[in-house]
Amino acid sequence: MKLSRVILLVIAGLLSATALKGLPDKPDLPVKLQEPWQKLYKKQDQKGKYVIGLWAFDNVAGEEVKLVEDVSGNGHAGKLVGGVINSDGKFGSCLESFPGWPVTDERHAVMVKNHADLSPEGAFSVEMWISPGKKMEGYSGAVLLDKKYVSDTDYKLSFGGGKTGEIRTLKVELGFGKKSATWNSDRVKFETGKWYHIAFTYDGEGTVQFLVNGQLSGGGTIGGLGSIAPGIKDLSIGDRYGSNYHGFPGRIDQVRLSKGILEFRPVRIQRVSDRSVFNRMEKEVELRYRITNLQRSSLKKSTFSMQLGAQKTKVMQVPELQSGKSQELAFPLDTRLRPDSYQVATIFSNKGKPAFQLKESFPVTLVARKLPNEFPVLMWGGGLQELDRMKKIGFTHALGPRANYGKIWQAGKAVDPDTKERQQETRGQLDRALAMGITFASQSAPATYLRNNKKYQRVDREGKVFKGREDICGLFPEIQKFCYNTGVSMARAYGDLPAFGGALLHTEVRGHSRPCFHQRDIEAFKAATGLAIPKEVITQRGVNYKKLANFPKNRVIPDNDSIYSYYRWFWKKGDGWNKLNSELNRGLKTSKRSDFWTWYDPAVRVATTYGSGGDVDVISQWTYSYPDPIRIGLATDELLTMASGAAHKQDVMKMTQIIWYRSQTAPIAKPGKKGPEWQAAWEREQPAAPFITVPPMQLREAFWTKIARPIKGIMYHGWASLVPTKSDGAYRYTHPETQFELTRLINEVIKPLGPTLKTVPGVKGDIAFYESFASQMYAGRGTYGWNGGWVGDA
């Protein structure tokens, strides 16, 4: 059997391996070999530059005052106070300490005089051998090492819970100047009279790991922390620094304080795959782990076993593994198990010399599949950091991952859309989002990124860039390729994650479109129609028929009219945005995900033509709930009509703004004018708030207006106006009841009725509203997606 193709045994029909192959360690994970803690430290391990202090308790000098030598050679000798030197140590002699309070409030320790070196900056490691004595039974909180006492400086290692019996936890307390933090190990059995090597490492950034006999035994990460704060207290070995004394009833040997994170495991088992959450029945799921030999010699007689939950363990033979080398194992995961959280337990055993066994476990979560025809309730805002509150309100979808457009543009091809660190962070957030049942969509707008690039901006008939709002000309092939590359980049980075389920493409762009007169535009129009661009064409909104010579008196315009032909071409193809969306959509769909969907909005911010948005799956439109919520119905009907004439099947989603323009709904009194006598609380607290929260009643009426039509999802925008946030931006939280009304509507209407609403066709109306593209282009008609007034007023 070839080593590159070792087949693992099936684990109770649930796990099997497909490959086992030798790999070098990743560049960002340098191999640091295991410290030889099983032996008495000598040479480099005793006097290396990274060693701050090493107390072996073999060299003790003095009669009345006994000094314990610091064998690292760094001069941190300790004074024996109350403790005794016992000849029955792990390696020669050792320190024996005794219970303090409440038995007797006396010190039993070796005291090392304070020195700046004893308060290491950044990462550091503490280790020792311990053997609990009989008096440890029932004695809680024994201190092994203390330089902290009750201050917010330095460090302390002690025993945590377990007042009775031999099952205990270790506890590390670190001080950071103005505060302290605490970490606890897993529960470990410490038998009386038996020797144990214990250690903890701190990475200088908030992460502590505990190790017992080379086995990882818990720890964790606390955000916002850095190096410990140096204190002024001496280092106490074997007891608490001061009263109430709390010595360790047992023996202590080979205490070492070192700079950096030292390695005490014989083998490192890393989860290589960055996913731990999966959909039930998800296909082609793979768990990958890398095993690295940290021994200073090769491993020849090793086995690796795995167990999923309560299933029977299966064992495999591992080929010879050289010192510092790695092998990667890939395991398909059977996702037919019921939705739950599981532990994949691993055991690496070496039967050669030295013999050892390493146990580690890794979490795996299977979540229930979403029901068919889920009705999306999407939040525009909040992002991946607001998962908990979005889940509580009832949102099923939100906007999240973005791309570094400059990186992709410069590369000229599909590349990683962000730094590896940020991508890993985003992938982790999407993994958590899957566990919480929220799907995220990318807000992708690569072409918008180029708007300030003068080479690609739209130009007038004289070839000058238009003044005012810059906009790119979408007919440049390199921009179309850029959009495709961006889509491919995002698909490669996140397309394997079920929680990455959609994308909003190039939002709010076509309101800036205007006729462009690059030679490319002129030639494209001529190729499409055989015509030259009419001299009357100036703006994107058409021409005034009253100013046209020989305009037909009956106002009937022939289909081949040059002006009519131009604007029909412009709004479908000429401004380029539909093509750019289509290319971006094509790139995103390279993930081959049947559940991945794209949408474009505001899709009604155009002249009313079929096929707005290009090849996107869904078109949507923002609308405010004033001057009247039922006004939202008009934009929804426009969307439905546009989608009905698209070249491919296109669905409709509708968005309500959670914000109101203050100027249009509750205007501030003009200077010198008296405002209203009665003011709401928010007016007094936030008198200059520019955008306020839509009232619950308006939100509710807009909601019913939308779902009375055959739409396939609803969306909301304005997170900072929906919930209280730390943001001091333009969106203000002024109505605390709106979020609860939205939650009620989601729970009482969308969740139970949503799947039905997605399948029931719309009701044919008794009244039709006719919108004419020709009247828009020649008489200034049309809504263009705005709701400042009533269409019938025109």
Side-chain angles (χ1 to χ4, degrees), residues 388-445:
D388 296 308
R389 286 204 286 184
M390 283 193 286
K391 177 70 174 179
K392 186 176 181 180
I393 291 172
F395 290 107
T396 64
H397 290 69
L399 292 181
R402 297 196 181 195
N404 184 330
Y405 302 124
K407 181 181 180 181
I408 301 170
W409 174 253
Q410 187 174 9
K413 60 182 180 180
V415 295
D416 287 342
D418 214 327
T419 63
K420 289 187 177 180
E421 293 74 17
R422 288 181 180 174
Q423 277 185 220
Q424 286 301 110
E425 181 182 359
T426 299
R427 288 181 64 85
Q429 290 171 324
L430 288 169
D431 211 34
R432 180 168 176 256
L434 178 61
M436 298 187 70
I438 297 179
T439 302
F440 274 83
S442 169
Q443 186 173 341
S444 295

Side-chain angles (χ1 to χ4, degrees), residues 123-178:
F124 67 97
S125 301
V126 172
E127 60 178 303
M128 63 182 68
W129 282 92
I130 65 168
S131 176
K134 292 182 179 179
K135 293 184 179 181
M136 186 68 175
E137 174 67 28
Y139 191 66
S140 177
V143 176
L144 297 165
L145 196 79
D146 186 14
K147 199 177 183 302
K148 185 179 187 298
Y149 195 38
V150 294
S151 68
D152 286 322
T153 60
D154 285 319
Y155 45 90
K156 179 164 71 174
L157 172 63
S158 61
F159 277 93
K163 292 184 179 181
T164 60
E166 299 172 326
I167 306 299
R168 304 278 180 151
T169 62
L170 295 170
K171 180 169 70 172
V172 164
E173 299 169 69
L174 303 180
F176 299 93
K178 294 183 179 180

Side-chain angles (χ1 to χ4, degrees), residues 57-62 66-69 80 85 93:
F57 309 106
D58 292 320
N59 301 320
V60 181
K66 293 185 177 181
L67 295 179
V68 177
E69 182 183 357
L80 187 65
I85 299 300
S93 298

Side-chain angles (χ1 to χ4, degrees), residues 289-539:
Y289 299 98
R290 177 184 286 112
I291 295 176
T292 304
N293 179 14
L294 304 178
Q295 297 286 299
R296 303 187 182 190
S297 58
S298 62
L299 298 174
K300 298 180 180 180
K301 299 179 180 179
S302 302
T303 61
F304 187 80
S305 64
M306 292 191 64
Q307 184 180 35
L308 179 62
Q311 302 299 319
K312 185 178 179 180
T313 302
K314 296 295 180 179
V315 182
M316 58 161 280
Q317 300 295 319
V318 179
E320 180 177 351
L321 191 58
Q322 298 294 322
S323 174
K325 299 300 180 180
S326 300
Q327 292 179 333
E328 188 170 298
L329 296 84
F331 302 94
L333 173 66
D334 191 322
T335 58
R336 292 174 293 180
L337 291 170
R338 64 180 176 82
D340 204 346
S341 293
Y342 299 89
Q343 287 291 325
V344 176
T346 65
I347 301 177
F348 187 94
S349 299
N350 185 55
K351 297 180 181 179
K353 293 183 179 180
F356 64 85
Q357 190 178 78
L358 184 67
K359 299 179 181 179
E360 292 192 30
S361 62
F362 302 89
V364 169
T365 300
L366 293 179
V367 298
R369 291 170 290 174
K370 290 189 175 184
L371 294 174
N373 287 318
E374 177 190 49
F375 196 94
V377 183
L378 193 146
M379 181 66 223
W380 182 338
L384 289 159
Q385 296 74 29
E386 289 282 11
L387 280 170
D388 296 308
R389 286 204 286 184
M390 283 193 286
K391 177 70 174 179
K392 186 176 181 180
I393 291 172
F395 290 107
T396 64
H397 290 69
L399 292 181
R402 297 196 181 195
N404 184 330
Y405 302 124
K407 181 181 180 181
I408 301 170
W409 174 253
Q410 187 174 9
K413 60 182 180 180
V415 295
D416 287 342
D418 214 327
T419 63
K420 289 187 177 180
E421 293 74 17
R422 288 181 180 174
Q423 277 185 220
Q424 286 301 110
E425 181 182 359
T426 299
R427 288 181 64 85
Q429 290 171 324
L430 288 169
D431 211 34
R432 180 168 176 256
L434 178 61
M436 298 187 70
I438 297 179
T439 302
F440 274 83
S442 169
Q443 186 173 341
S444 295
T448 306
Y449 163 79
L450 294 174
R451 274 182 163 170
N452 293 324
N453 190 320
K454 292 186 177 180
K455 177 179 178 180
Y456 301 108
Q457 288 176 349
R458 298 177 186 271
V459 297
D460 61 19
R461 291 180 183 273
E462 283 71 43
K464 296 180 180 179
V465 173
F466 287 104
K467 294 181 179 180
R469 288 186 173 183
E470 293 87 0
D471 191 26
I472 54 99
C473 174
L475 299 186
F476 280 89
E478 53 265 49
I479 300 179
Q480 296 168 6
K481 181 182 178 183
F482 174 44
C483 291
Y484 174 76
N485 288 340
T486 298
V488 174
S489 299
M490 294 297 286
R492 289 178 182 174
Y494 308 116
D496 62 314
L497 300 172
F500 178 58
L504 164 60
L505 313 187
H506 290 126
T507 184
E508 202 172 11
V509 291
R510 299 193 75 186
H512 300 182
S513 292
R514 64 188 75 189
C516 181
F517 300 93
H518 287 116
Q519 188 62 33
R520 177 178 284 102
D521 298 85
I522 295 170
E523 292 174 357
F525 176 62
K526 188 173 183 63
T529 65
L531 302 171
I533 300 178
K535 66 179 186 303
E536 293 86 356
V537 170
I538 299 175
T539 74

